[in-house]
């Protein structure tokens, strides 16, 4: 499947997260993004070096600035189970406006066409690193990395596009 690109409508799919009452919730991506400007960003894995020390912190640190430019939701997706995503979220002193969403079987990542096969590294199928600016379900900006790079998918690149 070809990767999602500018002009495409994001697919719907169900992802999991733990709410503020520590209850696991299932949520439709369309319910989070319909009628809103959102950033949907994906990382290869929770607790991995670049994801944990650079990619996710860029969105946490810039969340207020992104909100001031009209972004209503910051949706982090990783091919991990909801319990791992919960623990990862708790590893940050503050997560501001970032929602940590689990795509445990890579079903949604596959629907986006952004899967990355890391089986030879013992990680299985993961997500490519990406950041999508989405307005009412339509992709306005598609910053998709090659391999393990982190050059175009951070918060600064989305801010520049706004």
């Amino acid at each position: 499947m070809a990767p999602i690109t500018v002009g495409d409508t994001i697919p719907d799919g169900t992802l999991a997260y733990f709410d503020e009452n520590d209850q696991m919730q299932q949520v439709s991506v369309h319910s989070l993004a319909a009628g809103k400007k959102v950033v949907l960003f994906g990382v290869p894995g929770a607790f991995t070096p670049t994801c944990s020390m650079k990619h996710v912190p860029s969105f946490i640190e810039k969340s207020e600035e992104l909100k001031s430019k009209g972004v209503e939701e910051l949706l982090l997706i990783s091919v991990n189970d909801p319990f791992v995503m919960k623990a990862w979220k708790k590893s940050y002193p503050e997560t501001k406006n970032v929602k940590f969403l689990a795509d445990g079987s890579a079903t949604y990542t596959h629907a986006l066409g952004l899967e990355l096969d890391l089986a030879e590294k013992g990680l299985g199928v993961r997500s490519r690193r990406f950041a999508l600016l989405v307005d009412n379900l339509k992709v306005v900006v598609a910053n998709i990395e090659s391999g393990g790079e982190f050059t175009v998918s951070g918060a600064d690149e989305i801010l520049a596009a706004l």
Side-chain angles (χ1 to χ4, degrees):
M1 169 180 223
I4 195 157
T5 191
V6 172
D8 289 349
T9 298
I10 60 169
D12 200 4
T14 302
L15 301 171
Y17 72 100
F18 279 87
D19 66 17
E20 58 281 345
N21 298 315
D22 208 26
Q23 298 298 306
M24 191 184 324
Q25 301 294 327
Q26 301 284 325
V27 65
S28 127
V29 174
H30 278 193
S31 74
L32 294 172
K36 299 177 185 172
K37 187 179 292 184
V38 304
V39 175
L40 188 66
F41 68 107
V43 298
F47 296 107
T48 57
T50 301
C51 304
S52 291
M53 293 186 280
K54 294 180 182 175
H55 200 175
V56 173
S58 79
F59 283 97
I60 292 170
E61 292 162 10
K62 303 285 182 163
S63 67
E64 295 300 328
E65 196 173 342
L66 287 158
K67 292 264 185 186
S68 76
K69 296 194 177 272
V71 174
E72 295 175 67
E73 296 275 1
L74 297 169
L75 308 173
L76 165 61
I77 297 175
S78 185
V79 180
N80 289 106
D81 68 64
F83 298 97
V84 169
M85 294 301 283
K86 173 183 163 183
W88 193 25
K89 180 177 182 176
K90 286 183 175 182
S91 76
Y92 293 97
E94 186 171 13
T95 54
K96 299 221 174 155
N97 305 301
V98 177
K99 189 176 294 284
F100 284 62
L101 301 167
D103 184 17
S105 299
T107 305
Y108 192 72
T109 299
H110 180 72
L112 291 171
L114 296 176
E115 63 275 7
L116 176 65
D117 186 352
L118 295 175
E120 62 183 45
K121 293 184 177 184
L123 298 172
V125 174
R126 296 296 179 136
S127 172
R128 290 171 63 181
R129 189 180 311 282
F130 68 88
L132 305 175
L133 179 59
V134 178
D135 193 352
N136 194 24
L137 307 178
K138 293 276 187 205
V139 178
V140 179
V141 174
N143 294 345
I144 301 168
E145 303 282 2
S146 298
E149 293 180 7
F150 179 57
T151 57
V152 299
S153 62
D156 286 332
E157 289 76 24
I158 294 296
L159 281 166
L162 288 165

